[in-house]
C-alpha cells in the first residue's frame, strides 16, 4: 500500500535537458481569495522547490514577494516559477485575482498552454472567475478546474461543478468525489481507478489508498458512469468498450481525457483544500496527465514585416527563433526584466536578435529563469521555454523577438483602457525629475497605466484600472523610487462620442512669399459601433487628392480625436470618410493635409451631436438578507441598474451595473450600512452615455464654471 508521495530530490536541471513533451506551461487563475497563491505555494512545497510552506495571510508566500502583496494578502503582479514533478518540468505563472490587475492575467494567458482555474467551494463561480475564464477561452487554452476550500463551512463540490457548467458553459467531467466536507473533509475518491485517497497528516505528505467508504459507493458509481458516458460520446474506441460493457482500463480513460481536454471539449474537475494540504499532489498529476506540452500546441502565426504575408512557426527547435515578450518588469538594480515565451527555435546568450516591431537589433546579454524574485542564469533557451532577458533597451510588452534572417511579427495583446485618473505632483523640487523618470518606468511595465500632462493646468495626470491600482502605483513610487508626491482626488476617465452624421470642410492655406502650404479636404463623420476602433475611409476619385496625402488626413483626424470639444476627453466610436478635396501642385504638403484633416474633423464634430460617455462597472454585492433594503437603496442612489437578485448559501447576492463616478467611497459606506458583514467586487463593463442633466453638471464642474 502506497503511503508516501514520491517526491523528486531538488535538482538544478537545465531546461534543455528536458524533452519538450515533458514540459508544461500553466497559469493559475481565479477570483480573488479563491486560493491561487496558496495552491501555488503547496505545489512548490510538494515538488521540493521550497522546504517550508509559505502562507499568504502571514505574508510569507514566496510568490507574493512584493511588500504591497505581503501587507495586503493579495497578488498584484503575476509571478513565474519552475518546478519538477515525476520527471516533468512545470513552468507556472501565478496571476492576480483582483480586477484592477486583470492585465497580468491577460498577458500571462497569452503565452501559456494550459490553465488551472480555482473555485471557492462555497462561492463557486464569482465575477472575476467569469472574467479570467473568458480570457482563457479567448486564447483557446485548455483548462482544469480545482474546487478549493473543501474544508470550508458550506462547501458543496457538486453545486460548484453545476455552476461551472451553467455559468461558464463548460462540459465538466468530475474525476473525483470528495470524502467528507467542511471539517470532515479527509480526501477524495478517484473515479478513474475507483479507489479512496485519504490524507493522514497535517502536511499532506502521508496518505494512503483505501477502499471507497460504503456510504460513498452509490455516488461514486453514478459519477463514474457519467464520466464514462461523456467520454464515450467523444471517443469511438471507448464507446465500443462501453457498449460492450467491458471493464474500461484507466489508461484508456486517461488517454481520452487528455485528448479532449487539450481540444477544449471537456474540463476535468478535481477538488481539495490547499490550506489544509489536501488534493494538491493529485492536481499536479492532473497537470502532467491532461494539459498539453508545448509540442502539442498548434503552430503560432504572424506576419512577415517585409511582405506583410502571414507565416507560421512550428514548435520545433529546428525552426527559426521566435519569442514573444509578454511582460516587462523594472528591477531597481538591473534595469528591465523582459519576460518572454519561446515559440520556436533556440537562442544562446550573447546572440543578436531582431525586434520585428521596432526593427531594431537587441543583444541578449543575460537570460534568467525566474522563481518569483529570485533568478537562475541560463546559457540557452529553446522552444517552449519561459524566461526573462535582462537589459533589453528597445523592446516592450507585446513585441516579437526573432531571427534577423527570418523576421515575423506575432499578434500583440489588446489591453483595456484606464477608467480612473488622479492628478499627481512632486512634493519637492528634487522629486520633480525623479517623478518623471519613475512614471516612465512604470508605464513601460504596465500597459494599463497611463501618464499625460493636462494642457490647461500643466498637471501630471496618472490613469489606471481602479482605486487600488493607483494606490499601489503611488505606494511603489515612494518605496521603490523614493519619490514623494501629493495626490489629488480620483477623476473618472470619461470619453466623448457623436450621435449624428455631419459633413464639414477643412482648409489650410498659407502663403509666405516662397513655397506655401495648401491642403483642402471635405469630411463626413458618423457614429460607429460601441467599443469599436476609429474607422477611416477614403472615397476620393479622379485624383482630387494624391494618394500620398490621404494617410496624413487620417493622422490629423486621429490627433484631433485625442481631445474632444465638450470637456477635452478622447473621442471614440467614430467613422470618418474623406469624400472630397483639392490640392495644389506646388504648395500641397503632408503637413497641410494633416492640419486640414484636423480642422475638418473639429468643425464636423461641433454639429454631430457630441455626448459624454462614462465607464459603467459590473458590480456584485454579497450580504445578509436583513440589510437588503439599505443595500438596494444605496445602489439606487448611485444610479445603479439592478440586474439580478439571488440567494447564495443563506446570503443575498445583488448583481448590478453602476457608473464608476458614483462608486467612490462605496467600500466604506457598504461596511457602515451592513456592520462590516458585506463584501463586493467591481469590474469595468462598458462605456455608456451620461444622462443629459448629469452631463451638464459634470461639464460645469470640470470647466470650473
Amino acid at each position: 500500500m502506497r503511503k508516501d508521495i514520491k517526491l523528486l530530490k531538488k535538482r538544478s536541471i537545465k531546461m534543455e535537458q528536458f524533452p519538450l513533451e515533458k514540459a508544461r506551461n500553466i497559469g493559475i487563475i481565479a477570483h480573488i481569495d479563491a486560493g491561487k497563491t496558496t495552491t501555488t505555494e503547496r505545489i512548490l512545497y510538494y515538488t521540493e522547490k521550497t522546504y517550508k510552506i509559505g502562507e499568504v495571510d502571514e505574508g510569507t508566500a514566496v510568490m507574493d514577494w512584493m511588500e504591497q502583496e505581503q501587507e495586503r494578502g493579495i497578488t498584484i503582479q503575476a509571478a513565474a516559477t519552475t518546478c519538477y514533478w515525476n520527471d516533468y518540468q512545470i513552468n507556472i505563472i501565478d496571476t492576480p485575482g483582483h480586477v484592477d490587475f486583470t492585465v497580468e492575467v491577460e498577458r500571462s494567458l497569452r503565452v501559456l498552454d494550459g490553465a488551472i482555474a480555482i473555485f471557492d467551494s462555497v462561492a463557486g463561480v464569482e465575477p472575476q472567475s467569469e472574467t479570467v475564464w473568458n480570457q482563457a477561452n479567448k486564447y483557446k487554452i485548455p483548462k482544469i478546474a480545482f474546487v478549493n476550500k473543501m474544508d470550508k463551512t458550506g462547501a458543496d463540490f457538486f453545486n460548484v461543478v453545476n455552476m461551472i457548467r451553467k455559468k461558464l458553459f463548460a462540459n465538466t467531467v468530475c474525476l473525483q468525489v470528495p470524502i467528507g466536507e467542511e471539517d470532515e473533509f479527509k480526501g477524495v475518491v478517484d473515479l478513474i481507478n475507483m479507489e479512496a485517497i485519504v490524507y493522514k497528516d497535517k502536511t499532506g505528505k502521508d496518505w494512503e489508498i483505501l477502499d471507497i467508504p460504503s456510504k460513498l459507493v452509490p455516488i461514486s458509481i453514478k459519477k463514474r458512469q457519467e464520466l464514462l458516458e461523456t467520454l464515450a460520446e467523444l471517443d469511438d474506441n471507448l464507446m465500443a468498450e462501453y457498449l460492450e460493457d467491458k471493464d474500461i482500463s484507466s489508461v484508456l480513460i486517461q488517454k481520452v481525457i487528455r485528448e479532449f481536454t487539450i481540444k477544449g471539449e471537456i474540463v476535468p474537475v478535481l477538488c481539495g483544500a490547499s490550506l489544509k494540504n489536501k488534493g494538491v499532489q493529485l492536481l499536479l498529476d492532473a497537470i502532467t496527465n491532461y494539459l498539453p506540452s508545448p509540442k502539442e500546441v498548434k503552430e503560432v502565426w504572424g506576419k512577415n514585416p517585409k511582405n506583410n504575408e502571414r507565416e507560421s512557426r512550428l514548435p520545433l527547435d529546428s525552426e527559426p527563433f521566435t519569442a514573444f515578450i509578454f511582460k516587462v518588469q523594472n528591477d531597481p538594480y538591473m534595469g528591465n526584466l523582459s519576460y518572454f515565451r519561446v515559440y520556436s527555435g533556440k537562442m544562446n546568450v550573447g546572440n543578436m536578435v531582431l525586434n520585428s516591431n521596432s526593427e531594431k537589433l537587441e543583444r541578449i546579454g543575460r537570460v534568467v529563469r525566474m522563481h518569483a524574485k529570485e533568478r537562475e542564469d541560463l546559457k540557452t533557451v529553446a522552444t517552449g521555454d519561459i524566461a526573462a532577458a535582462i537589459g533589453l533597451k528597445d523592446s516592450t510588452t507585446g513585441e516579437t523577438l526573432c531571427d534577423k534572417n527570418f523576421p515575423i511579427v506575432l499578434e500583440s495583446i489588446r489591453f483595456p483602457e484606464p477608467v480612473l485618473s488622479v492628478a499627481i505632483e512632486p512634493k519637492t523640487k528634487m522629486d520633480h525629475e525623479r517623478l518623471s523618470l519613475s512614471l516612465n518606468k512604470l508605464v513601460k511595465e504596465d500597459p494599463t497605466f497611463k501618464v499625460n500632462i493636462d494642457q490647461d493646468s500643466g498637471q501630471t495626470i496618472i490613469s489606471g484600472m481602479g482605486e487600488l491600482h493607483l494606490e499601489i502605483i503611488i505606494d511603489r513610487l515612494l518605496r521603490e523610487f523614493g519619490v514623494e508626491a501629493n495626490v489629488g482626488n480620483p477623476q473618472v476617465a470619461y470619453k466623448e462620442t457623436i450621435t449624428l452624421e455631419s459633413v464639414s470642410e477643412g482648409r489650410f492655406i498659407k502663403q509666405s512669399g516662397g513655397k506655401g502650404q495648401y491642403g483642402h479636404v471635405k469630411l463626413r463623420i458618423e457614429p460607429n459601433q460601441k467599443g469599436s476602433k476609429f474607422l477611416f475611409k477614403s472615397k476620393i476619385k479622379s485624383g482630387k487628392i494624391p494618394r500620398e496625402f490621404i494617410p496624413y488626413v487620417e493622422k490629423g483626424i486621429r490627433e484631433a480625436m485625442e481631445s474632444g470639444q465638450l470637456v477635452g476627453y478622447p473621442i471614440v466610436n467614430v467613422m470618418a470618410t474623406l469624400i472630397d478635396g483639392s490640392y495644389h501642385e506646388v504648395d500641397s504638403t503632408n503637413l497641410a493635409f494633416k492640419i486640414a484633416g484636423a480642422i475638418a474633423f473639429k468643425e464636423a464634430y461641433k454639429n454631430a451631436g457630441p455626448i459624454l460617455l462614462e465607464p459603467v462597472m459590473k458590480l456584485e454585492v454579497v450580504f445578509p438578507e436583513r440589510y437588503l433594503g439599505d443595500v438596494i437603496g444605496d445602489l439606487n442612489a448611485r444610479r445603479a441598474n439592478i440586474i439580478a437578485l439571488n440567494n447564495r448559501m443563506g446570503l443575498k447576492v445583488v448583481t448590478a451595473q453602476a457608473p464608476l463616478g458614483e462608486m467612490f467611497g462605496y467600500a466604506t459606506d457598504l461596511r457602515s450600512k451592513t456592520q462590516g458583514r458585506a463584501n463586493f467586487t467591481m469590474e469595468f463593463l462598458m462605456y455608456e452615455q451620461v444622462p443629459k442633466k448629469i452631463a451638464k453638471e459634470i461639464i460645469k464642474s470640470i470647466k470650473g464654471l
Side-chain angles (χ1 to χ4, degrees):
M1 185 179 294
R2 182 175 56 180
K3 289 190 176 181
D4 294 308
I5 299 170
K6 182 181 179 182
L7 292 175
L8 298 176
K9 291 182 180 179
K10 192 173 183 183
R11 301 165 295 183
S12 178
I13 300 177
K14 298 303 178 186
M15 285 186 177
E16 57 266 29
Q17 292 179 331
F18 263 85
L20 200 55
E21 58 270 17
K22 289 280 189 176
R24 300 289 183 271
N25 292 324
I26 66 158
I28 312 290
I29 61 174
H31 185 88
I32 190 169
D33 203 32
K36 297 179 303 302
T37 302
T38 299
T39 302
T40 307
E41 292 295 322
R42 269 56 183 180
I43 288 174
L44 297 179
Y45 177 68
Y46 293 127
T47 58
E48 290 195 343
K49 186 73 178 182
T50 58
Y51 288 103
K52 182 181 178 182
I53 297 176
E55 300 293 357
V56 174
D57 294 341
E58 296 174 7
T60 59
V62 174
M63 301 301 280
D64 285 349
W65 57 270
M66 292 176 65
E67 291 180 32
Q68 294 87 349
E69 293 175 318
Q70 294 170 353
E71 290 173 355
R72 291 168 171 80
I74 62 171
T75 301
I76 294 170
Q77 287 197 348
T81 189
T82 298
C83 57
Y84 305 94
W85 180 254
N86 292 343
D87 291 326
Y88 283 82
Q89 175 184 294
I90 305 175
N91 300 318
I92 301 173
I93 298 181
D94 176 30
T95 66
H98 196 286
V99 65
D100 280 16
F101 310 106
T102 190
V103 60
E104 294 289 323
V105 183
E106 183 78 19
R107 59 185 175 185
S108 298
L109 289 173
R110 168 67 175 79
V111 298
L112 293 171
D113 303 327
I116 306 299
I118 298 181
F119 299 88
D120 185 297
S121 65
V122 178
V125 177
E126 299 174 89
Q128 193 65 4
S129 307
E130 295 185 54
T131 301
V132 297
W133 190 275
N134 291 332
Q135 285 174 303
N137 282 345
K138 180 168 71 173
Y139 295 113
K140 298 180 181 178
I141 293 176
K143 296 173 287 291
I144 292 174
F146 182 69
V147 180
N148 191 26
K149 302 188 178 183
M150 287 302 302
D151 58 322
K152 188 176 177 181
T153 302
D156 189 335
F157 175 68
F158 295 114
N159 179 56
V160 176
V161 174
N162 287 333
M163 289 179 74
I164 296 170
R165 181 177 285 268
K166 291 178 181 178
K167 286 193 171 186
L168 303 179
F169 307 102
N171 188 13
T172 54
V173 291
C174 294
L175 304 189
Q176 299 171 345
V177 168
I179 300 175
E181 290 177 342
E182 302 180 351
D183 290 341
E184 299 299 316
F185 180 67
K186 298 176 181 177
V188 298
V189 174
D190 176 359
L191 296 178
I192 296 175
N193 297 300
M194 288 303 280
E195 57 191 21
I197 298 170
V198 178
Y199 292 88
K200 308 297 288 184
D201 74 334
K202 290 183 179 180
T203 67
K205 282 192 171 184
D206 187 14
W207 56 297
E208 58 186 355
I209 299 173
L210 303 171
D211 293 334
I212 299 172
S214 57
K215 64 179 181 180
L216 291 178
V217 169
I219 186 67
S220 298
I221 292 173
K222 178 185 176 184
K223 291 300 177 183
R224 178 180 166 86
Q225 191 75 6
E226 291 177 2
L227 169 65
L228 294 177
E229 286 175 359
T230 300
L231 299 180
E233 291 176 2
L234 299 170
D235 184 80
D236 292 340
N237 292 332
L238 198 146
M239 170 69 83
E241 294 198 13
Y242 179 74
L243 293 176
E244 293 174 14
D245 204 22
K246 289 184 178 180
D247 185 13
I248 302 173
S249 72
S250 59
V251 173
L252 178 58
I253 294 173
Q254 288 182 329
K255 176 178 175 293
V256 176
I257 292 172
R258 176 178 179 76
E259 178 184 349
F260 290 95
T261 299
I262 292 173
K263 288 181 178 179
E265 295 186 31
I266 60 172
V267 177
V269 187
L270 297 85
C271 64
S274 296
L275 188 63
K276 297 296 177 64
N277 311 311
K278 295 179 173 70
V280 177
Q281 305 93 328
L282 301 177
L283 177 61
L284 278 163
D285 287 339
I287 290 169
T288 59
N289 289 339
Y290 306 127
L291 291 180
S293 72
K295 198 172 184 178
E296 294 167 296
V297 177
K298 293 181 179 179
E299 70 273 21
V300 64
W301 286 86
K303 285 187 177 180
N304 186 325
K306 292 182 178 179
N307 54 28
N308 213 31
E309 292 184 1
R310 291 190 78 212
E311 291 185 4
S312 66
R313 296 286 187 269
L314 295 170
L316 299 171
D317 287 350
S318 57
E319 288 270 288
F321 176 74
T322 306
F324 182 82
I325 299 173
F326 64 95
K327 174 175 175 167
V328 173
Q329 180 179 314
N330 178 70
D331 186 286
Y333 305 106
M334 297 184 179
N336 288 331
L337 275 172
S338 302
Y339 289 75
F340 62 90
R341 156 73 186 266
V342 181
Y343 282 98
S344 67
K346 297 178 73 173
M347 179 195 67
N348 297 321
V349 171
N351 285 3
M352 295 291 290
V353 296
L354 174 69
N355 179 322
S356 52
N357 296 84
S358 65
E359 297 184 345
K360 293 183 179 180
L361 291 172
E362 293 266 25
R363 181 175 294 280
I364 306 299
R366 187 179 174 193
V367 175
V368 294
R369 176 166 51 202
M370 300 299 298
H371 175 50
K373 65 177 180 179
E374 297 176 4
R375 307 173 185 90
E376 176 190 347
D377 279 284
L378 300 170
K379 294 181 179 179
T380 302
V381 287
T383 305
D385 288 343
I386 293 176
I390 295 176
L392 297 187
K393 295 179 180 179
D394 298 304
S395 300
T396 190
T397 302
E399 295 184 339
T400 305
L401 300 176
C402 60
D403 187 320
K404 62 183 179 181
N405 297 317
F406 300 92
I408 187 171
V409 179
L410 302 180
E411 183 181 354
S412 191
I413 312 172
R414 187 176 178 183
F415 297 108
E417 289 292 317
V419 295
L420 196 66
S421 302
V422 296
I424 185 171
E425 61 181 24
K427 283 189 175 181
T428 68
K429 288 184 178 179
M430 289 181 63
D431 287 323
H432 194 277
E433 186 176 345
R434 284 189 296 172
L435 176 64
S436 178
L437 292 172
S438 303
L439 289 176
N440 285 337
K441 290 179 180 178
L442 291 170
V443 165
K444 190 169 185 180
E445 185 177 294
D446 184 351
T448 60
F449 175 60
K450 306 291 184 185
V451 178
N452 63 75
I453 306 299
D454 186 285
Q455 293 180 350
D456 296 325
S457 66
Q459 284 183 308
T460 299
I461 307 296
I462 61 173
S463 306
M465 299 306 296
E467 290 179 275
L468 181 59
H469 187 196
L470 294 179
E471 181 185 327
I472 296 296
I473 290 286
I474 293 160
D475 192 45
R476 289 184 64 191
L477 281 172
L478 177 61
R479 295 197 194 191
E480 289 181 34
F481 301 98
V483 178
E484 293 190 70
N486 296 315
V487 182
N489 293 323
Q491 300 292 324
V492 177
Y494 295 101
K495 293 186 186 295
E496 299 181 25
T497 192
I498 58 174
T499 57
L500 304 172
E501 182 181 311
S502 177
V503 177
S504 185
E505 291 186 76
R507 287 184 172 87
F508 182 69
I509 303 172
K510 189 175 181 182
Q511 295 295 333
S512 57
K515 183 180 178 181
Q517 297 279 359
Y518 185 97
H520 168 224
V521 301
K522 188 174 184 180
L523 201 66
R524 179 175 69 241
I525 65 172
E526 55 194 302
N528 205 0
Q529 295 178 352
K530 284 184 182 179
S532 59
K533 295 181 179 179
F534 167 65
L535 183 62
F536 175 79
K537 294 180 180 179
S538 173
K539 292 191 175 180
I540 294 296
K541 296 180 180 179
S542 304
K544 288 190 173 183
I545 299 177
R547 291 173 60 184
E548 63 266 26
F549 294 133
I550 292 175
Y552 289 90
V553 176
E554 179 182 358
K555 192 172 183 180
I557 296 170
R558 287 185 180 275
E559 289 185 4
M561 289 178 64
E562 291 176 3
S563 179
Q565 296 172 53
L566 283 178
V567 199
Y569 287 107
I571 301 167
V572 296
N573 307 340
V574 172
M575 181 168 68
T577 306
L578 179 60
I579 55 176
D580 203 356
S582 62
Y583 77 103
H584 189 280
E585 289 185 359
V586 176
D587 292 345
S588 286
T589 63
N590 296 337
L591 178 63
F593 275 97
K594 177 182 165 184
I595 295 173
I599 293 170
F601 181 84
K602 289 177 180 179
E603 287 299 314
Y605 184 73
K606 292 177 184 178
N607 302 314
I611 59 171
L612 199 63
L613 301 175
E614 62 184 347
V616 175
M617 313 301 284
K618 181 182 178 183
L619 185 72
E620 184 181 90
V621 191
V622 183
F623 54 93
E625 185 173 4
R626 60 181 177 275
Y627 301 111
L628 180 62
D630 289 335
V631 171
I632 295 293
D634 184 48
L635 288 173
N636 287 332
R638 295 174 185 271
R639 293 198 285 128
N641 179 23
I642 308 299
I643 303 299
L645 177 61
N646 298 307
N647 297 310
R648 182 189 296 166
M649 302 302 297
L651 298 171
K652 287 292 182 182
V653 182
V654 170
T655 304
Q657 296 174 3
L660 175 62
E662 303 287 350
M663 298 306 294
F664 295 139
Y666 183 64
T668 302
D669 290 348
L670 182 65
R671 281 195 294 268
S672 175
K673 286 179 167 55
T674 62
Q675 298 181 334
R677 291 182 171 87
N679 61 74
F680 76 100
T681 56
M682 186 169 67
E683 62 180 297
F684 172 73
L685 181 63
M686 59 186 172
Y687 271 89
E688 285 286 354
Q689 181 177 352
V690 181
K692 289 184 179 180
K693 183 178 179 181
I694 295 170
K696 287 181 180 179
E697 295 174 1
I698 292 171
I699 293 169
K700 284 183 179 180
S701 173
I702 293 173
K703 289 185 174 181
L705 300 175

